[in-house]
């Protein structure tokens, strides 16, 4: 009895209990194999439906949690057909998906949600965010995901809306060999896409070296202290201008300037995966296992965008820029996983995980734009071309152990060490603007490159994040007559370091004759022959500026905690404790010419420590129903790059993003209450309330720019609050039809934030909802599982209410309203056929309603993006 009670409340004990239960199940399975195949099928059908089987383990873990949490299992992810962690998490109560990559928990921005991988922190390859893009984790490597919404001291105190822990697949208990292959098509593929000379069309999408900075240019930058302008070359080498200009032209010719864009037909998407693993008994006590898996996905996106920028002119809000463009992107995702495990008896286990994620994207955007320079002119607009290639990589290695010592007072020990490296390589980003002798909406006429210093620009960016994480947790159960006490404590050390470098060059056509710039292709104008011709007039410019995204940053968190979990008479459960954290962070801009820190190095760092607490109370009304109450004090800290004044172009929004060295941390008080009802047939219902009080909340706001130049920066508000209610249900509808069920969740909430104006930021609304907060989020699923086990189907609906994309600004008394992203009504259909025990065929239709992404400001549409309806088909087989 004592051991069973320990298993109920201990994560380690629960895992051991499940492992022992699995052994019994495997033994039963071995016995069942002696039965005729048709009898086996009959037994599976009468035991449980797919719904009950997939939900049971998830429900049990959720019930056993001391703190409010939601669990998403692999089977749930599979039946909705979601391809990655980000898409799957939008099905969880109160979670919204933004930009297809980032999760907002209860309406709070991605900065207020933290991500862990098997309980360890991981670095981010995104230059504008410290949070890792969750679309990098394919569904095939995920065993389950836990979203903890109330704070517990065994988690990092950098906790806002919640923490997402992605748990990857583990060592199998028997041989597994799975393969799958699939394809997909989108309705937007019916239109031609865009690509360019040298575009990455190989199966990995990796750069073949043509985009990267040439060795000759790297050597020249080192020699000339990062500036290759003619005047600087002449001064450094002590030569005349003509000689320096010849050197400059040779360096320009070394760059890849063959970037002509052209239309192309789009191929169907292609994906496939393979996984193999096994377990071996080395002796009566020792068991060794391994699992390896590879997942590949090559896909296209092709959509149209319209953009409008509002500004203040003649004492009123008016359109100062508008454009229409087509965007085509080829994306390749490759993931690999290699796990090894060694188990001694039932109580000791060591496991290693190596996970590699590669995500490449080759993106081309072309379109007509009207700016303040062309709006008033007849038959004049600009035709812009923007080429962006990026490669994101994440490599993480983890070693973890779980140990249970029944001979030493039932002490349990968990430990883990993880090291990770994230890289982002964006070589050869290309932009060029041409004059178009037609107005916006009238198509493309005669094009001419501009006789400016920036006839074309080329940018090269590199970012590297390194992280290390050490952790140990110890649990000691104590049993009294009518009371069970679990004492838990541990420590954690997390380190993170980032380096970011960027170089930007422009080829000037100021001295080129206008006749040479008209009706000419990019490859022809910027050919080596023209560049090397001293009489043609092209010249290369490139020197670092103080606002280039060149910086070093580091962060270290040292923590220790203690937690007590008390169960009284099996009815009351009280959990609470304290966590001490010491937080050290430094972020410093670099001058590439000298590699010295820009500004006062003593002001580049900050150090603080504090104690954070939590308390959770659970009352068991009966065997099926319980009440939860929780409180936690937490903090949300600025990202690594947000404390520098460097400027990035957001890869998702195309907005310029600038840091703020004066940012302070956000302090939060979090309150939760939830009623839960779990029925034997797998049905469950819950109602939750939450309230969050924020001091110094960090918000993304629009700063003062120049004309059509939109710049986003970060600012602390004085105060903020968030409150709401969550409903969740799973209802069996066998009374209507056998195998039918209905599940879903609804979140209703509101928020308020107060932000004062500064010299650089003047907001139209100083009191408003928080950026990114939706007042409602709904997820509904109508599912069917046939009684013969051969068919399952789901109709899945998801919508989030409008939320502020960015806050409006004002000049004097004239203000522009906040910009609201409109609700996106997502309706998906998934059908799966199981022809036998070994194979399945899955068909999915995404965005059945054909909805688009829209942003409105001042009552007019300022941004829209077509999404299209997607079809996919996937076949998988288990040997």
């Amino acid at each position: 009895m004592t051991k069973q009670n320990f298993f109920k409340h201990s994560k380690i004990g629960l895992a051991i209990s499940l492992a022992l239960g699995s052994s019994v199940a495997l033994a039963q399975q071995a016995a069942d194999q002696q039965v005729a195949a048709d009898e086996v099928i009959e037994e599976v059908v009468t035991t449980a439906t797919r719904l009950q089987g997939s939900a049971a383990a998830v429900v049990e873990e959720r019930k056993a949690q001391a703190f409010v949490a939601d669990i998403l299992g692999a089977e749930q992810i599979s039946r909705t057909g979601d391809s990655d962690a980000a898409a799957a998490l939008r099905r969880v109560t109160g979670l919204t998906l933004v930009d297809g990559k980032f999760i907002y928990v209860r309406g709070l921005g991605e900065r207020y949600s933290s991500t862990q991988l098997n309980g360890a922190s991981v670095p981010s390859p995104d230059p504008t965010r410290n949070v890792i893009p969750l679309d990098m984790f394919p569904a095939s490597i995920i065993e389950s995901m836990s979203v903890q919404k109330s704070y517990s001291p065994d988690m990092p105190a950098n906790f806002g809306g919640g923490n997402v822990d992605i748990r990857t697949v583990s060592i199998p208990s028997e041989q597994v060999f799975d393969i799958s292959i699939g394809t997909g098509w989108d309705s937007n593929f019916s239109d031609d896409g865009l690509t360019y000379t040298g575009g990455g069309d190989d199966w990995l999408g990796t750069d073949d070296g043509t985009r990267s900075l040439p060795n000759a240019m790297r050597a020249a930058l080192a020699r000339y202290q990062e500036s290759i302008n003619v005047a600087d070359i002449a001064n450094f080498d002590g030569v005349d201008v003509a000689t320096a200009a010849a050197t400059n032209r040779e360096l320009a010719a070394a760059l890849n300037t063959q970037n002509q864009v052209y239309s192309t037909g789009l191929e169907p998407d292609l994906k496939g995966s393979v996984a193999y693993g096994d377990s071996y008994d080395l002796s009566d006590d020792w068991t060794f296992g391994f699992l390896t898996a590879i997942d590949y996905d090559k896909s296209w996106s092709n959509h149209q965008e319209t953009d409008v920028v509002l500004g203040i002119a003649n004492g009123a809000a008016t359109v100062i820029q508008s454009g229409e463009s087509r965007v085509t992107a080829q994306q390749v995702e490759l993931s690999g996983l290699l796990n090894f495990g060694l188990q001694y008896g039932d109580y000791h286990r060591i496991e290693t995980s190596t996970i590699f994620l590669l995500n490449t994207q080759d993106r081309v955007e072309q379109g007509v734009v009207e700016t303040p320079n062309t709006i008033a002119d007849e038959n004049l607009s600009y035709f812009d071309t923007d080429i962006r290639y990026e490669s994101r990589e994440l490599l993480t290695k983890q070693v973890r152990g779980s140990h249970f010592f029944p001979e030493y007072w039932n002490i349990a020990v968990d430990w883990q060490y993880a090291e990770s490296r994230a890289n982002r390589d964006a070589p050869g980003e290309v932009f060029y603007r041409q004059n178009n002798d037609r107005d916006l909406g009238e198509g493309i006429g005669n094009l001419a490159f501009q006789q400016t210093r920036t006839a074309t620009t080329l940018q090269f960016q590199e970012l590297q994040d390194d992280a290390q994480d050490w952790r140990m947790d110890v649990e000691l159960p104590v049993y009294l007559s009518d009371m069970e006490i679990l004492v838990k404590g541990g420590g954690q050390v997390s380190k993170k370091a980032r380096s970011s470098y960027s170089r930007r060059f422009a080829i000037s056509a100021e001295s080129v004759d206008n006749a040479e710039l008209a009706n000419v292709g990019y490859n022809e104008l910027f050919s080596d022959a023209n560049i090397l011709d001293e009489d043609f007039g092209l010249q290369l410019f490139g020197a670092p500026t103080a606002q280039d995204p060149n910086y070093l940053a580091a962060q270290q968190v040292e923590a220790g905690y203690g937690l007590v979990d008390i169960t009284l008479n099996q009815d009351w459960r009280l959990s609470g404790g304290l966590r001490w954290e010491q937080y050290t962070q430094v972020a410093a801009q670099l001058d590439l010419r000298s590699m010295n820190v820009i500004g006062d190095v003593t002001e580049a760092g900050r150090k603080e420590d504090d104690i954070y607490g939590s308390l959770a109370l659970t009352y068991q009304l009966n065997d099926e129903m319980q009440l939860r109450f929780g409180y936690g004090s937490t903090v949300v800290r600025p990202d690594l790059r947000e404390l520098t004044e460097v400027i990035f172009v957001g890869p998702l929004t195309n907005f310029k993003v600038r840091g703020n060295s004066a940012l302070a941390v956000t302090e939060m008080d979090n309150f939760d209450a939830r009623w839960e009802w779990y029925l034997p047939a797998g049905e469950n219902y819950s109602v939750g309330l939450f309230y969050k009080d924020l001091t110094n909340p960090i918000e993304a706001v629009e700063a003062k720019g120049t004309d059509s130049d939109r710049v986003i920066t970060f600012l602390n508000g004085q105060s903020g609050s968030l409150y709401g209610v969550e409903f969740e249900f799973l209802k069996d509808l066998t009374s209507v039809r056998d195998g039918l069920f209905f599940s879903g969740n609804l979140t209703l909430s509101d928020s308020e934030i107060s932000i004062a104006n500064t010299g650089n930021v003047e907001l139209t609304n100083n009191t408003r909802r928080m950026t990114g907060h939706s007042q409602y989020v709904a997820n509904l699923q109508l599912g069917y599982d046939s009684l013969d086990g051969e068919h399952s189907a789901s109709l899945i609906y998801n919508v989030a209410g409008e939320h502020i994309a960015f806050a409006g600004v004002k000049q004097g008394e004239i203000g522009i309203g906040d910009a609201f992203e409109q609700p996106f009504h997502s309706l998906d259909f998934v059908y799966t056929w199981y022809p036998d025990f070994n194979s399945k065929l899955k068909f999915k239709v995404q965005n059945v309603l054909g909805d688009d992404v829209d942003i409105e400001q001042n009552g007019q549409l300022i941004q829209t993006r077509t999404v299209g309806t997607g079809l996919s088909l996937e076949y998988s087989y288990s040997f």
Side-chain angles (χ1 to χ4, degrees), residues 492-510:
Q492 185 175 8
V493 177
S494 298
K495 296 181 179 181
K496 185 181 294 185
R498 170 178 288 187
S499 60
S500 172
Y501 302 101
S502 177
R503 294 181 173 93
R504 186 171 183 269
F505 305 98
I507 298 181
S508 169
E510 292 171 295

Side-chain angles (χ1 to χ4, degrees), residues 181-185 268-271 871-875:
I181 187 169
T183 186
W185 182 87
D269 298 340
L270 178 65
K271 64 182 303 181
L871 307 176
S872 64
L873 186 67
E874 183 177 1
Y875 173 77

Side-chain angles (χ1 to χ4, degrees), residues 164-225:
V164 177
D165 187 16
I166 301 173
R167 303 147 171 186
T168 57
V169 290
S170 188
I171 305 301
S173 57
E174 59 181 1
Q175 186 182 79
V176 296
F177 184 21
D178 301 330
I179 61 172
S180 71
I181 187 169
T183 186
W185 182 87
D186 190 278
S187 60
N188 287 340
F189 288 5
S190 58
D191 298 324
D192 282 344
L194 300 174
T195 189
Y196 60 99
T197 308
D201 57 0
D202 60 323
W203 71 281
L204 273 180
T206 53
D207 179 35
D208 58 4
T210 59
R211 299 181 185 87
S212 58
L213 202 61
N215 291 332
M217 180 63 76
R218 291 183 181 274
L221 291 170
R223 174 178 176 81
Y224 300 119
Q225 297 182 336

Side-chain angles (χ1 to χ4, degrees), residues 12 170 280 322 389 403 643 672 728 736:
I12 303 169
S170 188
Y280 306 94
S322 58
Y389 169 86
H403 310 278
L643 296 176
D672 283 276
E728 187 172 359
V736 178

Side-chain angles (χ1 to χ4, degrees), residues 229-230 248 449-456 506-517 525-526 534-542:
N229 295 340
V230 172
N248 176 273
F449 283 87
Q450 295 185 315
Q451 198 179 46
T452 64
R453 178 164 293 193
T454 55
T456 183
I507 298 181
S508 169
E510 292 171 295
S511 301
V512 178
D513 189 274
N514 274 323
E516 300 286 355
L517 301 175
L525 176 62
F526 298 106
E534 61 179 318
D535 296 325
F536 192 80
L538 294 175
Q539 186 177 157
L540 181 65
F541 284 88

Side-chain angles (χ1 to χ4, degrees), residues 12 19 132 236 241 355 470 496 537 633 667 689 747 816:
I12 303 169
I132 186 167
F236 186 89
V241 173
I355 302 169
W470 297 264
K496 185 181 294 185
S633 63
E667 299 175 354
L689 301 172
T747 301
I816 304 173

Side-chain angles (χ1 to χ4, degrees), residues 289-335:
F290 75 94
L291 177 69
T292 182
I294 297 176
D295 185 279
Y296 173 81
D297 190 345
K298 181 178 180 180
S299 60
W300 289 88
S301 66
N302 188 41
H303 59 267
Q304 294 179 334
E305 289 187 5
T306 61
D307 289 281
V308 171
V309 178
L310 301 182
I312 307 296
N314 300 320
T318 185
V319 174
I320 61 172
Q321 177 171 305
S322 58
E324 299 175 351
S325 63
R326 172 168 295 281
V327 182
T328 303
Q330 176 193 280
Q331 183 166 289
V332 176
E333 298 177 355
L334 177 67
S335 67

